[in-house]
Amino acid sequence: MAKKILPAISLGVLTIIALVFLTGGGTDDKDVLRQTFEVDAVYYDTGHVEIAFVDKSEKTNSVVMEILGMDETFQKTFYDSQFIEIVPFPNEPKYGWAVHPIVLEIEHLELGHIQLKTEIHPLGDSIPPVIYSRP
């Protein structure tokens, strides 16, 4: 029974997160954030996801990365302006990659607290949009 409810709950949580990202900080200049930060999450059919983050300004103090929608949420903290993390992901999700968003909480010397959200995509597919926010 719980397995049938879990996708619906996950979708609801994702909707709420998306609304928070879209409405939070609507007056900020997103172009500066787009020019400063890059994130990509690629699924390889060998059973893993490669997540790459780059801060072109090199002024990131820390990044907390989370992959939501998993049985146990993946979370890891990085203390650098760039990283590549390999996360085992044996199967493509039944309900699509949208149920496993990648959320980054960034502490930046000049820009302050920044949130980025993106989705995993299979190798060869186009890169999904990144949502930038300043809470």
Side-chain angles (χ1 to χ4, degrees), residues 79-92:
Y79 298 98
D80 203 351
S81 291
Q82 61 183 12
F83 63 82
I84 295 176
E85 181 68 17
I86 307 295
V87 180
F89 232 107
N91 301 310
E92 291 190 48

Side-chain angles (χ1 to χ4, degrees), residues 106-123:
I106 303 165
E107 292 299 331
H108 191 272
L109 285 172
E110 291 179 357
L111 301 172
H113 185 81
I114 308 294
Q115 294 175 332
L116 275 65
K117 177 191 167 284
T118 193
E119 293 178 7
I120 299 168
H121 65 92
L123 180 64

Side-chain angles (χ1 to χ4, degrees), residues 56-117:
K56 295 176 189 174
S57 72
E58 298 185 357
K59 294 181 180 176
T60 292
N61 286 329
S62 66
V63 180
V64 177
M65 179 181 74
E66 287 186 279
I67 303 175
L68 304 176
M70 301 172 76
D71 290 337
E72 190 172 317
T73 299
F74 178 90
Q75 183 178 27
K76 187 168 182 179
T77 302
F78 301 88
Y79 298 98
D80 203 351
S81 291
Q82 61 183 12
F83 63 82
I84 295 176
E85 181 68 17
I86 307 295
V87 180
F89 232 107
N91 301 310
E92 291 190 48
K94 181 177 179 180
Y95 298 103
W97 288 110
V99 300
H100 298 293
I102 308 294
V103 179
L104 303 177
E105 297 277 340
I106 303 165
E107 292 299 331
H108 191 272
L109 285 172
E110 291 179 357
L111 301 172
H113 185 81
I114 308 294
Q115 294 175 332
L116 275 65
K117 177 191 167 284

Side-chain angles (χ1 to χ4, degrees), residues 3-43:
K3 288 186 178 186
K4 290 182 180 182
I5 294 173
L6 186 61
I9 291 171
S10 295
L11 214 46
V13 169
L14 293 176
T15 302
I16 291 169
I17 290 171
L19 287 173
V20 168
F21 274 107
L22 291 173
T23 59
T27 59
D28 291 340
D29 182 10
K30 303 295 187 228
D31 288 338
V32 171
L33 300 178
R34 283 186 199 95
Q35 292 169 3
T36 304
F37 302 107
E38 291 180 6
V39 63
D40 192 16
V42 180
Y43 173 75

